[in-house]
Coordinates of all heavy atoms in Angstrom, one line a residue:
M518 N 0.9 -1.1 0.0 CA 0.0 0.0 0.0 C 0.9 1.2 0.0 O 1.8 1.3 0.7 CB -1.0 0.0 1.2 CG -1.8 1.2 1.4 SD -2.9 1.1 2.8 CE -3.8 2.6 2.5
N519 N 0.6 2.2 -0.9 CA 1.4 3.5 -0.9 C 0.7 4.4 0.1 O -0.5 4.6 0.2 CB 1.4 4.0 -2.3 CG 2.0 3.2 -3.3 OD1 2.7 2.4 -3.0 ND2 1.7 3.3 -4.6
Y520 N 1.6 5.1 0.9 CA 1.2 6.0 1.8 C 1.4 7.5 1.5 O 0.8 8.3 1.8 CB 2.0 5.8 3.2 CG 1.7 4.5 3.6 CD1 2.6 3.3 3.5 CD2 0.6 4.1 4.4 CE1 2.4 2.1 4.0 CE2 0.3 2.8 4.9 CZ 1.3 1.9 4.7 OH 1.0 0.6 5.3
I521 N 2.5 7.7 0.7 CA 2.9 9.1 0.2 C 2.4 9.4 -1.1 O 2.8 8.7 -2.0 CB 4.3 9.4 0.4 CG1 5.0 8.9 1.7 CG2 4.7 10.8 0.1 CD1 6.4 8.8 1.8
K522 N 1.6 10.4 -1.2 CA 1.1 10.8 -2.5 C 2.0 11.7 -3.3 O 2.3 11.5 -4.5 CB -0.4 11.6 -2.4 CG -1.1 11.7 -3.7 CD -2.4 12.3 -3.3 CE -3.3 12.6 -4.6 NZ -4.5 13.2 -4.3
T523 N 2.6 12.7 -2.7 CA 3.4 13.7 -3.4 C 4.4 14.2 -2.3 O 4.2 14.2 -1.1 CB 2.8 14.9 -4.0 OG1 2.1 15.6 -3.1 CG2 1.8 14.4 -5.1
V524 N 5.6 14.6 -2.8 CA 6.6 15.3 -2.0 C 7.0 16.6 -2.7 O 7.0 16.8 -4.0 CB 7.8 14.5 -1.7 CG1 7.4 13.3 -0.9 CG2 8.6 14.1 -3.0
L525 N 7.3 17.6 -2.0 CA 7.7 19.0 -2.4 C 8.8 19.4 -1.6 O 8.5 19.8 -0.4 CB 6.6 19.9 -2.6 CG 6.9 21.2 -3.0 CD1 7.4 21.2 -4.5 CD2 5.7 22.3 -2.8
P526 N 10.1 19.5 -2.1 CA 11.2 20.1 -1.3 C 10.9 21.6 -1.2 O 10.5 22.2 -2.2 CB 12.4 19.8 -2.1 CG 12.0 18.7 -3.1 CD 10.6 18.9 -3.3
M527 N 11.2 22.1 -0.1 CA 11.0 23.6 0.3 C 12.2 24.1 0.8 O 13.2 23.6 1.1 CB 9.8 23.7 1.4 CG 8.4 23.0 0.8 SD 7.2 22.9 2.1 CE 7.1 24.4 2.8
K528 N 12.1 25.4 0.9 CA 13.3 26.2 1.5 C 13.5 25.9 2.8 O 12.5 25.4 3.6 CB 13.0 27.7 1.4 CG 13.1 28.3 0.0 CD 12.9 29.8 0.0 CE 13.0 30.3 -1.4 NZ 13.1 31.8 -1.5
G529 N 14.7 26.0 3.3 CA 15.1 25.7 4.8 C 15.1 24.2 5.0 O 15.1 23.8 6.1
Y530 N 15.4 23.5 3.9 CA 15.5 21.9 4.1 C 14.3 21.3 4.8 O 14.4 20.5 5.6 CB 16.7 21.7 5.0 CG 18.0 22.0 4.1 CD1 18.7 23.3 4.5 CD2 18.5 21.4 3.1 CE1 19.8 23.7 3.9 CE2 19.6 21.9 2.3 CZ 20.3 23.0 2.7 OH 21.3 23.4 2.1
R531 N 13.1 21.8 4.4 CA 11.9 21.2 4.7 C 11.3 20.6 3.6 O 11.4 20.8 2.4 CB 10.9 22.4 5.2 CG 11.4 23.0 6.6 CD 10.5 24.0 7.0 NE 10.5 25.1 6.1 CZ 9.4 25.7 5.5 NH1 8.2 25.3 6.1 NH2 9.5 26.7 4.7
L532 N 10.6 19.4 3.9 CA 10.1 18.5 2.8 C 8.5 18.3 3.2 O 8.1 17.9 4.2 CB 10.7 17.1 2.8 CG 10.1 16.2 1.8 CD1 10.6 16.6 0.3 CD2 10.5 14.7 2.0
F533 N 7.7 18.9 2.1 CA 6.2 18.9 2.3 C 5.8 17.5 1.7 O 6.2 17.1 0.7 CB 5.6 19.9 1.5 CG 4.1 19.9 1.6 CD1 3.3 20.5 2.6 CD2 3.5 19.4 0.5 CE1 1.9 20.5 2.7 CE2 2.0 19.4 0.4 CZ 1.3 19.9 1.5
M534 N 5.0 16.8 2.5 CA 4.5 15.5 2.0 C 2.9 15.6 2.0 O 2.4 15.9 3.1 CB 4.9 14.2 2.8 CG 6.5 14.2 2.8 SD 7.0 12.7 3.6 CE 6.3 12.7 5.2
E535 N 2.2 15.1 1.0 CA 0.9 14.9 0.9 C 0.6 13.4 1.1 O 1.2 12.6 0.2 CB 0.2 15.5 -0.3 CG -1.3 15.2 -0.4 CD -1.9 15.8 -1.6 OE1 -1.2 16.3 -2.5 OE2 -3.2 15.7 -1.7
M536 N -0.1 12.9 2.0 CA -0.3 11.6 2.3 C -1.6 11.2 1.5 O -2.5 11.9 1.1 CB -0.5 11.3 3.7 CG 0.7 11.9 4.5 SD 2.4 11.6 4.1 CE 2.5 9.9 4.8
E537 N -1.6 9.9 1.2 CA -2.9 9.2 0.6 C -4.1 9.5 1.3 O -5.3 9.6 0.9 CB -2.6 7.8 0.3 CG -1.6 7.4 -0.8 CD -2.1 7.7 -2.3 OE1 -3.4 7.8 -2.4 OE2 -1.3 7.9 -3.1
S538 N -4.0 9.6 2.6 CA -5.2 9.8 3.4 C -5.7 11.2 3.3 O -6.8 11.5 3.8 CB -4.7 9.7 5.0 OG -3.9 10.6 5.3
G539 N -4.9 12.1 2.7 CA -5.3 13.5 2.5 C -4.7 14.4 3.5 O -4.7 15.6 3.3
S540 N -4.1 13.9 4.5 CA -3.3 14.8 5.5 C -2.0 15.1 4.8 O -1.5 14.6 3.8 CB -3.0 14.0 6.8 OG -2.3 13.0 6.6
T541 N -1.3 16.3 5.4 CA -0.2 16.8 5.0 C 0.9 16.8 6.1 O 0.4 17.0 7.3 CB -0.2 18.2 4.3 OG1 -0.9 19.1 5.3 CG2 -1.2 18.1 3.1
V542 N 2.1 16.6 5.8 CA 3.2 16.6 6.8 C 4.4 17.4 6.3 O 4.7 17.2 5.1 CB 3.6 15.1 7.2 CG1 4.6 15.1 8.1 CG2 2.4 14.2 7.7
T543 N 5.0 18.1 7.2 CA 6.2 18.8 6.8 C 7.3 18.4 7.6 O 7.3 18.4 8.8 CB 6.1 20.4 6.8 OG1 5.0 20.8 6.0 CG2 7.4 21.0 6.4
V544 N 8.4 17.8 7.0 CA 9.6 17.2 7.7 C 10.6 18.3 7.6 O 11.0 18.7 6.5 CB 10.0 15.9 7.1 CG1 11.2 15.4 7.9 CG2 8.9 15.1 6.9
D545 N 11.1 18.6 8.7 CA 12.2 19.7 8.8 C 13.6 18.9 9.1 O 13.9 18.3 10.2 CB 11.9 20.7 10.0 CG 13.2 21.8 10.1 OD1 14.0 21.8 9.2 OD2 12.8 22.7 10.8
F546 N 14.4 18.9 8.0 CA 15.6 18.3 8.1 C 16.8 19.2 8.6 O 18.0 18.7 8.7 CB 16.1 17.7 6.7 CG 15.3 16.5 6.3 CD1 14.2 16.6 5.5 CD2 15.7 15.2 6.7 CE1 13.4 15.6 5.1 CE2 15.0 14.1 6.3 CZ 13.8 14.3 5.4
S547 N 16.5 20.4 8.8 CA 17.6 21.5 9.1 C 18.4 21.1 10.3 O 19.7 21.3 10.2 CB 17.0 22.8 9.2 OG 16.1 23.0 10.2
G548 N 17.9 20.6 11.3 CA 18.5 20.2 12.5 C 19.3 18.9 12.4 O 19.9 18.4 13.4
K549 N 19.1 18.1 11.3 CA 19.7 16.7 11.2 C 20.8 16.9 10.1 O 21.4 15.6 10.0 CB 18.6 15.7 10.8 CG 17.5 15.7 11.7 CD 17.9 15.0 12.9 CE 16.6 14.8 13.9 NZ 17.0 14.4 15.2
L550 N 21.1 17.9 9.4 CA 22.1 17.9 8.4 C 23.5 17.6 8.9 O 24.4 17.3 8.1 CB 21.9 19.2 7.6 CG 20.7 19.5 7.1 CD1 20.7 20.8 6.4 CD2 20.3 18.4 6.0
H551 N 23.8 17.7 10.2 CA 25.2 17.5 10.6 C 25.3 15.9 11.0 O 26.5 15.7 11.4 CB 25.4 18.3 12.0 CG 24.4 17.9 13.1 ND1 23.1 18.3 13.2 CD2 24.6 17.2 14.1 CE1 22.6 17.9 14.2 NE2 23.4 17.1 14.8
T552 N 24.3 15.3 10.9 CA 24.4 13.7 11.3 C 24.9 13.0 9.9 O 24.7 13.4 8.9 CB 23.1 13.1 11.7 OG1 22.2 13.2 10.6 CG2 22.5 13.9 12.9
A553 N 25.5 11.9 10.1 CA 26.1 11.1 9.1 C 25.0 10.7 8.2 O 25.0 10.6 6.9 CB 26.9 9.9 9.6
K554 N 23.8 10.3 8.7 CA 22.7 9.8 8.0 C 22.2 10.8 6.9 O 21.7 10.5 5.9 CB 21.6 9.2 8.8 CG 20.5 8.6 8.2 CD 19.5 7.8 9.0 CE 18.4 7.2 8.4 NZ 17.6 6.4 9.2
Y555 N 22.1 12.0 7.4 CA 21.4 13.0 6.6 C 22.3 14.1 6.0 O 21.8 15.1 5.4 CB 20.2 13.7 7.4 CG 19.3 12.9 8.0 CD1 19.3 12.5 9.3 CD2 18.3 12.2 7.2 CE1 18.3 11.6 9.9 CE2 17.4 11.4 7.6 CZ 17.5 11.0 9.0 OH 16.5 10.1 9.5
A556 N 23.6 14.0 6.3 CA 24.6 15.0 5.8 C 24.5 15.3 4.2 O 24.7 16.5 3.9 CB 26.1 14.6 6.2
E557 N 24.2 14.4 3.5 CA 24.3 14.4 2.0 C 23.1 15.5 1.6 O 23.1 16.1 0.6 CB 23.9 13.2 1.4 CG 24.3 13.0 0.0 CD 24.3 11.6 -0.6 OE1 23.9 10.6 0.2 OE2 24.9 11.5 -1.7
L558 N 22.0 15.6 2.5 CA 20.9 16.5 2.2 C 21.3 18.1 2.3 O 20.6 18.8 1.9 CB 19.8 16.2 3.0 CG 19.1 14.8 2.8 CD1 17.9 14.5 3.8 CD2 18.6 14.7 1.3
A559 N 22.4 18.2 3.0 CA 22.9 19.6 3.1 C 23.2 20.3 1.7 O 23.2 21.5 1.7 CB 24.1 19.7 4.1
D560 N 23.5 19.4 0.7 CA 23.7 19.9 -0.6 C 22.2 20.3 -1.2 O 21.4 19.4 -1.4 CB 24.3 18.9 -1.5 CG 24.4 19.4 -3.0 OD1 23.8 20.3 -3.4 OD2 25.3 18.8 -3.6
E561 N 21.9 21.6 -1.3 CA 20.6 22.0 -1.6 C 20.2 21.4 -3.0 O 18.9 21.1 -3.2 CB 20.4 23.6 -1.6 CG 19.1 24.1 -1.8 CD 19.1 25.7 -1.7 OE1 20.1 26.3 -1.2 OE2 18.0 26.2 -2.1
A562 N 21.0 21.3 -3.9 CA 20.6 20.8 -5.2 C 20.2 19.3 -5.1 O 19.3 18.8 -5.7 CB 21.7 20.9 -6.3
F563 N 21.0 18.6 -4.2 CA 20.6 17.2 -4.0 C 19.4 17.1 -3.3 O 18.4 16.3 -3.4 CB 21.7 16.6 -3.1 CG 21.5 15.1 -2.9 CD1 21.8 14.2 -3.9 CD2 21.2 14.6 -1.6 CE1 21.5 12.8 -3.6 CE2 20.9 13.4 -1.3 CZ 21.2 12.3 -2.3
F564 N 19.0 18.0 -2.2 CA 17.9 17.9 -1.5 C 16.7 18.1 -2.4 O 15.6 17.5 -2.2 CB 17.8 19.1 -0.4 CG 16.6 19.1 0.5 CD1 16.5 18.1 1.5 CD2 15.7 20.0 0.3 CE1 15.4 17.9 2.3 CE2 14.5 20.0 1.1 CZ 14.4 19.0 2.1
K565 N 16.7 19.0 -3.4 CA 15.7 19.2 -4.3 C 15.4 18.1 -5.3 O 14.3 18.1 -6.0 CB 15.9 20.5 -5.2 CG 15.8 21.7 -4.3 CD 16.2 23.0 -5.2 CE 16.2 24.1 -4.3 NZ 16.5 25.3 -5.2
T566 N 16.0 17.0 -5.3 CA 15.8 15.9 -6.1 C 14.8 14.9 -5.4 O 14.6 13.9 -6.1 CB 17.1 15.1 -6.4 OG1 17.6 14.5 -5.3 CG2 18.2 16.0 -7.2
A567 N 14.2 15.3 -4.3 CA 13.3 14.3 -3.6 C 12.2 13.9 -4.5 O 11.5 14.7 -5.3 CB 12.8 15.0 -2.3
T568 N 11.8 12.6 -4.6 CA 10.7 12.0 -5.2 C 10.2 10.9 -4.4 O 10.7 10.5 -3.4 CB 11.1 11.4 -6.6 OG1 12.1 10.4 -6.3 CG2 11.7 12.4 -7.5
T569 N 9.0 10.4 -4.7 CA 8.4 9.2 -4.0 C 7.8 8.3 -4.8 O 7.4 8.6 -5.9 CB 7.4 9.7 -2.8 OG1 6.9 8.7 -2.1 CG2 6.2 10.3 -3.7
D570 N 7.9 7.0 -4.5 CA 7.2 6.0 -5.2 C 5.9 5.6 -4.3 O 5.3 4.6 -4.7 CB 8.0 4.7 -5.4 CG 8.4 4.1 -4.1 OD1 8.1 4.6 -3.0 OD2 9.2 3.1 -4.1
G571 N 5.6 6.3 -3.2 CA 4.5 6.1 -2.5 C 4.9 5.4 -1.2 O 4.2 5.7 -0.2
D572 N 5.8 4.6 -1.2 CA 6.4 4.0 0.0 C 7.6 4.6 0.6 O 7.9 4.5 1.8 CB 6.6 2.5 -0.2 CG 5.3 1.7 -0.4 OD1 4.3 2.0 0.1 OD2 5.3 1.0 -1.5
Y573 N 8.4 5.2 -0.2 CA 9.7 5.7 0.2 C 9.9 7.1 -0.5 O 9.3 7.4 -1.4 CB 10.8 4.9 -0.4 CG 10.9 3.5 0.1 CD1 10.3 2.5 -0.6 CD2 11.7 3.2 1.2 CE1 10.4 1.1 -0.1 CE2 11.7 1.9 1.7 CZ 11.1 0.9 1.1 OH 11.0 -0.4 1.6
V574 N 10.6 8.0 0.2 CA 11.2 9.2 -0.4 C 12.6 8.9 -0.7 O 13.3 8.5 0.1 CB 11.0 10.4 0.6 CG1 11.6 11.6 0.0 CG2 9.6 10.6 0.9
T575 N 13.0 9.2 -2.0 CA 14.4 9.0 -2.4 C 14.9 10.4 -2.9 O 14.2 11.2 -3.5 CB 14.4 8.0 -3.6 OG1 13.6 8.3 -4.6 CG2 14.0 6.6 -2.9
W576 N 16.3 10.4 -2.8 CA 17.1 11.6 -3.4 C 18.2 11.0 -4.3 O 18.7 9.9 -4.0 CB 17.7 12.3 -2.2 CG 16.7 13.2 -1.4 CD1 16.5 14.5 -1.7 CD2 16.0 12.7 -0.3 NE1 15.6 14.9 -0.7 CE2 15.2 13.9 0.2 CE3 15.8 11.5 0.5 CZ2 14.4 13.8 1.2 CZ3 15.1 11.5 1.5 CH2 14.4 12.6 2.0
G577 N 18.5 11.8 -5.2 CA 19.6 11.4 -6.1 C 19.4 10.1 -6.8 O 20.2 9.3 -7.0
G578 N 18.2 9.8 -7.3 CA 17.9 8.7 -8.0 C 18.0 7.4 -7.2 O 18.4 6.3 -7.7
G579 N 17.9 7.4 -5.9 CA 17.9 6.3 -5.1 C 19.2 6.2 -4.1 O 19.3 5.2 -3.3
R580 N 20.0 7.3 -4.2 CA 21.2 7.3 -3.4 C 20.9 7.3 -2.0 O 21.6 6.6 -1.1 CB 22.1 8.5 -3.8 CG 23.5 8.1 -4.4 CD 24.3 9.1 -4.8 NE 24.4 10.4 -4.1 CZ 24.7 11.5 -4.6 NH1 24.8 11.6 -5.8 NH2 24.9 12.5 -3.8
L581 N 19.9 8.1 -1.6 CA 19.4 8.2 -0.2 C 17.9 7.8 -0.2 O 17.1 8.3 -1.1 CB 19.6 9.4 0.4 CG 19.0 9.7 1.8 CD1 19.7 8.7 2.8 CD2 19.3 11.2 2.3
C582 N 17.4 6.9 0.6 CA 16.1 6.5 0.6 C 15.6 6.3 2.1 O 16.2 5.7 2.9 CB 16.2 5.1 0.0 SG 14.4 4.3 -0.2
L583 N 14.5 6.9 2.3 CA 13.9 6.9 3.7 C 12.4 6.4 3.6 O 11.6 6.7 2.6 CB 13.8 8.3 4.2 CG 15.2 9.0 4.5 CD1 14.9 10.4 5.0 CD2 16.0 8.2 5.4
T584 N 12.2 5.6 4.6 CA 10.7 5.0 4.7 C 9.7 6.0 5.2 O 10.2 7.0 6.0 CB 10.8 3.7 5.4 OG1 11.0 4.1 6.9 CG2 11.7 2.7 4.9
V585 N 8.5 5.8 5.2 CA 7.5 6.5 5.7 C 7.7 6.6 7.4 O 7.6 7.7 8.0 CB 6.1 6.0 5.5 CG1 5.0 6.7 6.3 CG2 5.7 6.1 4.1
N586 N 8.0 5.5 7.9 CA 8.2 5.4 9.3 C 9.4 6.2 9.8 O 9.4 6.9 10.8 CB 8.5 3.9 9.8 CG 7.2 3.0 9.6 OD1 6.1 3.6 9.7 ND2 7.4 1.8 9.6
E587 N 10.5 6.3 9.0 CA 11.7 7.0 9.3 C 11.4 8.6 9.3 O 11.7 9.3 10.1 CB 12.8 6.8 8.3 CG 13.6 5.4 8.5 CD 14.5 5.2 7.5 OE1 14.1 5.1 6.3 OE2 15.7 4.9 7.8
L588 N 10.6 9.0 8.2 CA 10.2 10.3 8.1 C 9.3 10.7 9.3 O 9.4 11.8 9.7 CB 9.5 10.5 6.7 CG 10.4 10.3 5.6 CD1 9.7 10.1 4.2 CD2 11.3 11.6 5.4
M589 N 8.3 9.9 9.6 CA 7.4 10.3 10.7 C 8.1 10.3 12.1 O 7.8 11.1 12.9 CB 6.3 9.2 10.7 CG 5.3 9.3 9.6 SD 4.5 11.0 9.5 CE 4.0 10.9 7.9
E590 N 9.1 9.6 12.2 CA 10.0 9.5 13.4 C 10.6 11.0 13.5 O 10.7 11.5 14.6 CB 11.0 8.4 13.4 CG 11.6 8.1 14.7 CD 12.5 6.9 14.6 OE1 12.0 5.8 14.5 OE2 13.6 6.9 14.6
L591 N 11.2 11.5 12.3 CA 11.7 12.8 12.4 C 10.7 13.8 12.7 O 11.0 14.8 13.5 CB 12.4 13.1 11.0 CG 13.7 12.4 10.6 CD1 13.8 12.7 9.2 CD2 14.7 12.8 11.5
V592 N 9.5 13.7 12.3 CA 8.4 14.6 12.6 C 8.1 14.7 14.1 O 8.1 15.7 14.8 CB 7.1 14.4 11.9 CG1 6.1 15.2 12.3 CG2 7.5 14.7 10.3
L593 N 8.1 13.5 14.6 CA 7.6 13.3 16.0 C 8.7 13.6 17.0 O 8.4 14.2 18.1 CB 7.2 11.8 16.3 CG 5.8 11.5 15.6 CD1 5.5 10.0 15.8 CD2 4.7 12.3 16.0
L594 N 10.0 13.2 16.8 CA 11.1 13.5 17.6 C 11.7 14.8 17.3 O 12.5 15.3 18.3 CB 12.0 12.4 17.5 CG 11.6 11.0 17.7 CD1 12.7 10.0 17.5 CD2 11.0 10.9 19.2
G595 N 11.4 15.5 16.2 CA 12.0 16.7 15.9 C 13.4 16.7 15.7 O 14.3 17.4 15.8

């Protein structure tokens, strides 16, 4: 089942996601860019390559891939 309908990279390293349920979520990566897992997203051009297949958000044609659960964890834990 696909959960993510669309993604839109925004200024300030935020990612807007529209979910299949109709709800929307904004994930703020700005505080995570210093970590090894998310450091690659600090490149603004790379960050803007975000796409989704419904289950994952990927950057760079699959170089970085995050699940819905990982993204929601970022939202909840800040």
Side-chain angles (χ1 to χ4, degrees):
M518 178 177 186
N519 294 341
Y520 299 101
I521 307 169
K522 190 173 178 183
T523 59
V524 295
L525 177 64
M527 300 168 49
K528 289 184 180 187
Y530 298 99
R531 292 177 297 134
L532 183 70
F533 176 84
M534 299 188 306
E535 182 181 2
M536 312 307 282
E537 286 291 338
S538 65
S540 63
T541 60
V542 177
T543 301
V544 183
D545 184 356
F546 287 93
S547 63
K549 301 289 184 188
L550 299 176
H551 65 281
T552 66
K554 183 172 184 174
Y555 302 109
E557 202 168 10
L558 295 177
D560 178 338
E561 193 174 345
F563 184 75
F564 185 77
K565 289 180 179 180
T566 66
T568 61
T569 186
D570 65 359
D572 294 316
Y573 298 91
V574 174
T575 59
W576 287 266
R580 243 173 48 204
L581 178 63
C582 184
L583 298 176
T584 66
V585 172
N586 289 340
E587 289 174 301
L588 293 162
M589 289 305 161
E590 200 172 284
L591 285 173
V592 171
L593 295 174
L594 300 177

